[in-house]
Amino acid sequence: MQVLIQLLITGIAMGFIYALVAIEYTIIWNATGLLNFSHDKFILFGAYMFAGTYVLSLGLPPVIAVLCTIITMFLFGIVSAFVIFNPLSRLSTNLFAVIGTVILGRIITEAVRLIWGPLPFSLDGFLKGSYKIGSVVVSRSHVIIILVCTLITVSLQLFFKFTKTGKAMRCVSENKTAASLMGVNVSINIALTVGISAVICAIIGILVVPIFNVELQMSSMIGLKGFASGVIGGFGHLPGAILGGILLGVVEIFGSMIIPSVYKDCLSFILLIIFLLIKPSGLLRDRK
Amino acid sequence: MKKQNKTLIIALICIGIAAILPLFISNNYHLNLMIQVLINIIIVLGLNFITGLTGQMNLGTAGIFSMGAYTSALVATKSGVNPWICLILAAVMGIIIGVGLGYPSLRVSGVYLALTTIGFSEIVRVLMTNLTDLTGGALGVNNIPVFSIFGHEFRENKEIYYLYLVIALLLIFNAYRIVNSKWGRSFLAIKDNPEAINASGVNIAKLRIMAFTLTAVYSTIAGSLYAHYVGFMNPSAYNIEFSINYVVMLVIGGIGSVAGNIAGAILVTIVPELLRFIENYYWLVFSIITLLFVIFLPNGMLSLFNKKKSMKK
């Protein structure tokens, strides 16, 4: 029984990571109509910046390092919005935007490889250890992941519902022309959205540092599973993204009890295909 | 008529250069590079159907290519079937992948093909690495037989080059005919104006699946050619970076046109060799150039020479 509970918690924690990934690209998708194919590289960049520069070279305490990473990534997001996302979203077809973000991802990977080197490393003692509740042992990083992800999801919803900027962002995602006629500056809004998305990416990157080694391939699977959970929950729909992510995390962890764990990564692909065949609009979205 | 003649003459000159070039090259490494160029041309031509014409992104070239290569290699080594039959089997595998992956992802409009192809590619790599009994795992398949015609085996690089040049020319001609046919025009119309083509009573999903199947067949054929040329296959190189390389070739050369595809494939395969002196920074520099291409010259290099045509778009 405790084993089941432990597995469930691990599954939910991984699920929350996938959900965050889904949220992070969904807000850009809603604001610009572009899918950010470099999102897993944003995560990679955040993780390297946090672990490589702020903690290991500058020796900052983790809390300050997290803050520094968030600020840097926000600025990085804003810059890449003005340099890349805004020009790309004005082109005639979406194809060039897809290609553009894919190439941006490669530029980030190359930059990371040149700045921090190709060798993987890890942060000793960061979010390590475990809690014991009754007879259930829960790893500390999983608890932190669940707490932080819940906090981000709730505050993002509050931000979109109640602040003026958040409302403006929802207007932009509904109708760009109408929003600009109502005096909303669309390109600044898009930049802010990409900035927030980059911050979420950085947080994901920091959260997965204790789970994976810091290496160049660390985020490609999470990126892919984030896409899968978006499709499962309903593409472009925030609550759907969260539900899809958690579902995927739990299915994956229990699936790995039945099939050999090297094939665990295949489950998300199979789920993606099944949902595209049976219910392409996803679990929570009715309109097509 | 006049334009057609001009195209024909340019094509003939290019074929002539391609045919006599090996006579001046004695370096085996350069010959290898030229064979690689031919294989890359085939892949990029294939990618052009789905990405260049219909505007759907295919990021799974690595998976499709290695499925073709492995199909061909495994059938040839395990059952000793003639490599030519393996090539046909690889093409059949392309049709299976095209329809099997295209049907779920292209029925609904959206970017789903990009997602499923990335997923497919990763799964293929996981399976190739872990199904050790079938594929040999990380060690891969060795001693893949070479092509032969009437008992003559193609072992020398020069012979392989000419054989592959003939195959590539056939596929280029085929691609040129398709791009400039009713199919090609309908593929292009899907990218430019899906509403209009829908209103004209054309089944978009079916056309897209057809385009993707063509892509898959071209990629698996290229995979099979590659496997029988190098003689061994292992799964390590076939990741997303491999797939992105071909997208880069497509963008640099010129999306949608056969000549542009060929130019892109040649350029992106050869230029890294010329830029060896910036070794470590090569991909960074090249990716930034590609990004500039996407933003400022989305129709590729060829649109520089073809000003009028690109203006019309």
Side-chain angles (χ1 to χ4, degrees):
Chain A
M1 190 60 207
Q2 334 54 325
V3 179
L4 278 185
I5 294 175
Q6 277 170 27
L7 278 179
L8 189 67
I9 290 174
T10 316
I12 290 176
M14 279 323 282
F16 264 112
I17 293 279
Y18 303 151
L20 267 197
V21 176
I23 291 172
E24 149 264 301
Y25 72 79
T26 302
I27 57 175
I28 295 190
W29 168 260
N30 285 343
T32 62
L34 305 183
L35 201 51
N36 181 9
F37 276 91
S38 55
H39 70 135
D40 55 330
K41 310 301 186 225
F42 276 54
I43 297 173
L44 181 78
F45 195 36
Y48 264 88
M49 191 188 292
F50 170 74
T53 302
Y54 289 126
V55 174
L56 285 183
S57 344
L58 297 180
L60 297 176
V63 180
I64 297 174
V66 168
L67 279 178
C68 291
T69 313
I70 287 175
I71 293 166
T72 331
M73 282 300 283
F74 183 70
L75 295 177
F76 174 72
I78 300 241
V79 170
S80 57
F82 276 115
V83 179
I84 292 153
F85 286 89
N86 268 331
L88 284 178
S89 65
R90 285 192 211 106
L91 286 176
S92 56
T93 62
N94 261 347
L95 177 68
F96 297 117
V98 175
I99 298 176
T101 55
V102 167
I103 308 275
L104 173 67
R106 172 171 258 177
I107 294 176
I108 297 175
T109 322
E110 282 303 302
V112 165
R113 194 174 62 82
L114 290 171
I115 299 173
W116 287 284
L119 295 176
F121 56 91
S122 60
L123 273 190
D124 297 328
F126 174 66
L127 296 187
K128 288 277 157 66
S130 55
Y131 297 117
K132 202 155 186 252
I133 308 160
S135 57
V136 182
V137 182
V138 190
S139 107
R140 187 158 162 241
S141 59
H142 289 152
V143 176
I144 303 271
I145 285 175
I146 295 177
L147 288 179
V148 172
C149 292
T150 321
L151 186 72
I152 292 177
T153 322
V154 171
S155 49
L156 211 58
Q157 288 294 341
L158 293 178
F159 172 74
F160 279 131
K161 277 255 149 66
F162 296 112
T163 65
K164 204 174 173 191
T165 331
K167 282 178 188 163
M169 280 177 180
R170 282 195 298 153
C171 293
V172 170
S173 65
E174 281 293 324
N175 190 334
K176 285 195 190 57
T177 327
S180 67
L181 286 176
M182 296 299 129
V184 177
N185 189 332
V186 173
S187 52
I188 285 184
N189 246 284
I190 290 177
L192 267 181
T193 314
V194 178
I196 293 176
S197 171
V199 167
I200 301 177
C201 286
I203 294 173
I204 299 168
I206 295 167
L207 287 175
V208 296
V209 163
I211 303 178
F212 307 116
N213 272 338
V214 185
E215 49 135 356
L216 290 170
Q217 299 296 324
M218 64 185 284
S219 61
S220 52
M221 266 302 166
I222 328 177
L224 188 58
K225 285 171 189 165
F227 279 141
S229 42
V231 175
I232 292 169
F235 212 80
H237 188 253
L238 280 182
I242 299 162
L243 181 73
I246 295 171
L247 186 74
L248 185 59
V250 174
V251 166
E252 204 175 73
I253 207 83
F254 284 104
S256 62
M257 291 172 72
I258 304 163
I259 59 168
S261 61
V262 282
Y263 300 124
K264 190 181 74 172
D265 294 335
C266 302
L267 280 172
S268 56
F269 176 70
I270 296 168
L271 271 182
L272 173 67
I273 294 286
I274 291 175
F275 267 88
L276 280 178
L277 278 173
I278 298 170
K279 204 168 184 317
S281 57
L283 282 174
L284 285 188
R285 216 177 58 159
D286 286 331
R287 69 196 164 89
K288 210 177 164 188
Chain B
M1 200 62 206
K2 206 176 158 196
K3 201 190 155 228
Q4 257 180 3
N5 279 339
K6 210 173 136 196
T7 320
L8 192 67
I9 291 169
I10 294 176
L12 283 177
I13 293 173
C14 292
I15 294 171
I17 294 174
I20 57 169
L21 206 55
L23 300 179
F24 302 107
I25 291 175
S26 50
N27 187 335
N28 218 7
Y29 177 72
H30 289 159
L31 270 175
N32 278 332
L33 205 63
M34 286 168 64
I35 298 174
Q36 191 62 54
V37 166
L38 290 176
I39 291 170
N40 288 351
I41 287 177
I42 298 175
I43 300 176
V44 178
L45 282 176
L47 193 59
N48 186 38
F49 291 125
I50 189 74
T51 303
L53 296 177
T54 71
Q56 285 281 331
M57 193 64 181
N58 169 15
L59 286 172
T61 309
I64 303 170
F65 177 88
S66 54
M67 278 299 274
Y70 265 95
T71 307
S72 203
L74 288 175
V75 174
T77 49
K78 301 246 155 153
S79 64
V81 175
N82 188 313
W84 290 109
I85 296 175
C86 300
L87 179 66
I88 294 170
L89 286 178
V92 173
M93 177 53 88
I95 297 176
I96 296 171
I97 297 171
V99 176
L101 203 57
Y103 181 75
S105 5
L106 292 168
R107 245 169 359 125
V108 277
S109 58
V111 283
Y112 298 115
L113 186 71
L115 311 183
T116 48
T117 46
I118 301 178
F120 175 74
S121 209
E122 282 300 316
I123 300 313
V124 168
R125 202 158 58 94
V126 169
L127 291 181
M128 297 296 174
T129 320
N130 292 308
L131 290 175
T132 326
D133 294 337
L134 182 66
T135 64
L139 291 175
V141 192
N142 293 307
N143 299 323
I144 304 168
V146 292
F147 286 112
S148 60
I149 293 177
F150 299 125
H152 176 78
E153 290 194 332
F154 288 81
R155 288 198 180 280
E156 288 287 312
N157 267 345
K158 248 176 212 171
E159 294 173 353
I160 297 178
Y161 174 79
Y162 281 115
L163 177 69
Y164 284 12
L165 182 64
V166 173
I167 299 175
L169 283 176
L170 284 175
L171 289 170
I172 291 171
F173 182 65
N174 187 31
Y176 180 77
R177 296 284 294 171
I178 293 176
V179 169
N180 294 300
S181 70
K182 188 183 146 201
W183 280 13
R185 284 191 294 274
S186 352
F187 290 163
L188 201 60
I190 293 178
K191 181 173 85 177
D192 292 341
N193 199 337
E195 285 87 9
I197 195 169
N198 219 355
S200 331
V202 179
N203 186 341
I204 291 188
K206 201 175 146 197
L207 272 178
R208 277 191 188 139
I209 294 171
M210 211 151 75
F212 183 59
T213 309
L214 279 170
T215 305
V217 170
Y218 266 67
S219 301
T220 48
I221 288 179
S224 168
L225 292 178
Y226 180 76
H228 289 291
Y229 149 61
V230 293
F232 63 91
M233 278 298 292
N234 72 7
S236 63
Y238 303 105
N239 51 18
I240 180 94
E241 298 299 315
F242 182 90
S243 311
I244 296 176
N245 277 345
Y246 292 97
V247 177
V248 171
M249 291 181 198
L250 192 70
V251 175
I252 295 260
I255 264 182
S257 88
V258 172
N261 300 158
I262 298 172
I266 296 174
L267 210 72
V268 178
T269 320
I270 304 278
V271 169
E273 306 301 320
L274 303 177
L275 287 180
R276 286 206 160 223
F277 61 98
I278 50 168
E279 190 59 78
N280 240 342
Y281 293 88
Y282 169 69
W283 271 115
L284 187 65
V285 173
F286 207 78
S287 310
I288 291 173
I289 294 174
T290 315
L291 189 63
L292 293 177
F293 259 91
V294 176
I295 295 176
F296 295 110
L297 204 64
N299 285 317
M301 276 198 330
L302 226 67
S303 59
L304 282 179
F305 306 105
N306 247 347
K307 269 268 156 60
K308 255 187 205 158
K309 213 175 169 187
S310 61
M311 290 287 274
K312 236 187 266 172
K313 271 177 196 168

